[in-house]
Amino acid sequence: MFRIGEFSRLGQVSTRMLRHYDKLGLLVPSHTDEWTNYRYYTLDQLSQLHRIIALKELGFSLQDIADLLQKE
């Protein structure tokens, strides 16, 4: 598992963006520590992050992306 900083470097996005995606329910961390609130992500979630980024670059809104991901 990767802490948010490590995962943001792997995915080449900011930690702020990951927190935003979490808030919207687009990319919820695999685990959140109940004491520290640290977010932890798995390597499998990297492909979902890349999918979100690709759809965003194609011009889809975050709401459209959320709708597409829910259908999967």
Side-chain angles (χ1 to χ4, degrees):
M1 290 226 267
F2 300 95
R3 285 177 55 176
I4 192 169
E6 299 165 321
F7 192 74
S8 73
R9 283 188 291 281
L10 286 173
Q12 298 180 341
V13 296
S14 67
T15 56
R16 182 177 173 213
M17 189 59 64
L18 289 173
R19 288 185 186 96
H20 183 63
Y21 290 163
D22 179 17
K23 184 178 177 183
L24 296 176
L26 284 175
L27 186 63
V28 178
S30 164
H31 173 73
T32 303
D33 186 285
E34 64 183 70
W35 297 102
T36 62
N37 287 325
Y38 285 170
R39 294 167 171 89
Y40 293 92
Y41 296 86
T42 63
L43 194 55
D44 295 338
Q45 291 180 292
L46 195 56
S47 64
Q48 185 176 0
L49 175 60
H50 287 154
R51 187 176 304 124
I52 293 167
I53 293 168
L55 290 169
K56 193 172 155 194
E57 288 176 355
L58 288 171
F60 286 89
S61 70
L62 292 179
Q63 183 59 51
D64 291 340
I65 295 170
D67 294 342
L68 287 170
L69 293 177
Q70 281 182 344
K71 292 178 182 178
E72 292 182 352

